[in-house]
Amino acid sequence: MSTPFDRFDRPNQFDDQFDGQFDGQSDDQSDGQANGHPESLDRRRFLRGAAAGAVAVGLSLSTRRWVARAEPGPDLAEVPPLDGSLVIDPEVLDAAADDFGHIVSHRPWAVLLPGSIEGIERMVEFANRYRVPIAGRNAYDDAHSCLGQSQVEAGIVINNRSLAAVPAVTAADDEIWVEAGARWRDILTAAFPAGKSPPIFPDYVDLSVGGALSVGGIGGQSHQAGFLVDNVSALEVITGEGKREICSPTRNPRLFSSVLGGLGQFAVIARACIRLRDVPPMVRVYSAVYDDVDAFTGDQLVLIRERRFDYVEGFAELDGTTWRYRLEAGAYFAPGAEPDDAALVAGLRFTPGTLTTTDTSYPGFVQRLDPTVDFLRQIGVWEFPHPWLNLFIPAQAAPRFIESTLAATAPEDLGQGPVLIYPIPRAAVRGPYPVLPAGDEVFLFALLRTAVPPTPEQVQDLLAKNRAVFESARDCGGTFYPVNALPLDPADWRRHFGRGRGRGRGWGRFRSAKAQFDPGSVLTPGQKIFPGR
């Protein structure tokens, strides 16, 4: 079975064996080591390592610099008592000044390594009082944004990797409270032994819960389950004023709907209650190639309307100089109740002879990108700049937009990165964010570029091309998924949120929520939504 990164010519192998991932390991063995990923530190080891770095005890109000030793006097604002550390060690600050995009670098003054949610609450209240910009970074080895969205120039970065608790799940559970620093992989590990799973996973399961919920969260199950944010029943957050709140659709619903997909502008997510569903242990994956974009997108729409599959995605792939399209769909099943292949693919217009099927475990399917990511790390490409572009295109405009954009896209414009194309019905999306185009159905169209060679000139060229493609998408009614390497100004953001008028959305809603929940405008300036931040 192919994956979107297989053009790197590494065979993809699903991990159909659990290899002790779900039980039988000590905390140190199991934490972050599944499937060969770099070890991620648990709370005790992370804070222990932080103790070796320089720790701030106060903020000099005259120089606006953190100090490591107390300097009594009216000039010093002392750091509040913390269960954790406010680190000013240069290596820690340098790490917080980078992200997955590797394009911009904004160095913070300090990084908060919280030992508790109370520590976040106190630090955000401190930041609001003294107007110090602050942003959450629910990250492990890198923050999965592409243009400094989770960075803060001369402010505080909250790294929640030390707050990543995921409780055990039983077969009777229909939801789970997890800390924001947990990865979606961790939820899989906790839930699957009980036959449970979130209704949707992101393709890359090492995203943190807090980070993904701040932007929306897309996956191949979105045609049925919506975004990740549509599968959250409650949140515990700290608003921009430093107020700790529990919110849900019935308790402080405006805060709840604003925070989910709200780009970190209103509150820092501390914990989330994620819905769970029963899940069969196996997945049959169907892959087929199309020569025609109309047949490809048309069949994708048929599949989501008829809900034939549990998972539907698609890719554009270069065959020499010709773009072809690959449908990938998955059907969950239990052994002895295998899917009806003929019924599932009936009437589809793929190129004859290109249909293949592969059976794998559900955990192997959810973690299907692991071998590819490991390979990219090994050859160093993971550290190359990633000027990604993710757009939402109205279904009626999608075939021509896709065709014309790909016709103008050379192989070197992608750096062997994948092109994703898959449909989402608006009816599956319940919250105001992410902002989608008008119409009953939209397509995600993503150019997941890698800058090869990784030079500043190549990066700037790709950023300019991203802007041109974005403007073309906007002209046909499209919007964007805000994790991009796409330079935007406040006017772009106003127009973007203005697309949401008519369903309680829009720029006015976003701006008033900012005034209510972060009146000091201290949260997440890296998005560059509001002037002066």
Side-chain angles (χ1 to χ4, degrees), residues 459-477:
V459 168
Q460 290 305 312
D461 180 62
L462 296 177
L463 291 179
K465 288 175 178 176
N466 280 353
R467 181 71 197 194
V469 175
F470 157 65
E471 291 179 357
S472 177
R474 189 179 60 190
D475 290 345
C476 71

Side-chain angles (χ1 to χ4, degrees), residues 145-353:
S145 54
C146 294
L147 204 65
Q149 290 93 332
S150 61
Q151 298 175 25
V152 178
E153 183 76 41
I156 305 168
V157 167
I158 302 172
N159 193 321
N160 276 340
R161 67 193 277 181
S162 56
L163 299 180
V166 179
V169 173
T170 72
D173 293 332
D174 58 6
E175 58 186 24
I176 179 175
W177 274 99
V178 301
E179 290 183 325
R183 299 168 299 175
W184 293 91
R185 180 192 303 278
D186 301 329
I187 300 178
L188 172 71
T189 302
F192 182 73
K196 295 288 187 174
S197 171
I200 173 178
F201 276 102
D203 291 338
Y204 180 59
V205 292
D206 280 327
L207 297 177
S208 68
V209 169
L213 296 182
S214 293
V215 296
I218 307 173
Q221 303 92 344
S222 287
H223 70 285
Q224 292 194 18
F227 296 111
L228 292 172
V229 294
D230 295 307
N231 296 277
V232 177
S233 54
L235 292 170
E236 184 171 10
V237 305
I238 295 91
T239 70
E241 292 182 291
K243 296 178 180 177
R244 187 171 174 180
E245 304 275 5
I246 299 287
C247 55
S248 72
T250 57
R251 178 177 176 177
N252 205 344
R254 188 177 191 215
L255 177 61
F256 180 73
S257 63
S258 297
V259 171
L260 290 172
L263 308 178
Q265 293 300 306
F266 314 110
V268 176
I269 298 173
R271 294 197 306 152
C273 187
I274 309 296
R275 297 189 184 99
L276 299 174
R277 53 163 284 185
D278 295 330
V279 65
M282 300 293 293
V283 182
R284 179 164 294 174
V285 183
Y286 299 74
S287 178
V289 176
Y290 290 73
D291 296 319
D292 179 74
V293 68
D294 291 285
F296 169 68
T297 55
D299 280 0
Q300 285 186 309
L301 292 174
V302 167
L303 293 182
I304 68 168
R305 290 166 184 166
E306 298 181 359
R307 299 171 70 93
R308 293 192 201 180
F309 290 95
D310 298 288
Y311 158 95
V312 176
E313 286 197 9
F315 318 104
E317 303 170 334
L318 262 178
D319 182 4
T321 59
T322 302
W323 285 100
R324 304 195 191 283
Y325 306 93
R326 182 177 297 277
L327 172 69
E328 189 170 272
Y332 305 160
F333 71 98
E338 283 73 13
D340 183 339
D341 296 344
L344 287 174
V345 303
L348 300 184
R349 296 167 288 172
F350 52 80
T351 303

Side-chain angles (χ1 to χ4, degrees), residues 38-113:
E39 182 180 9
S40 44
L41 303 175
D42 65 17
R43 184 176 311 192
R44 294 186 307 277
R45 288 182 287 125
F46 190 70
L47 294 177
R48 201 161 57 227
V55 175
V57 299
L59 173 68
S60 170
L61 299 180
S62 59
T63 64
R64 304 295 288 179
R65 295 290 179 183
W66 299 101
V67 296
R69 270 191 285 244
E71 299 173 3
D75 183 54
L76 183 70
E78 292 187 12
V79 171
L82 296 173
D83 179 11
S85 301
L86 188 66
V87 180
I88 54 177
D89 179 80
E91 290 187 7
V92 174
L93 301 185
D94 288 344
D98 193 17
D99 57 24
F100 181 68
H102 307 303
I103 297 171
V104 302
S105 180
H106 299 304
R107 200 168 191 262
W109 282 342
V111 173
L112 175 65
L113 310 178

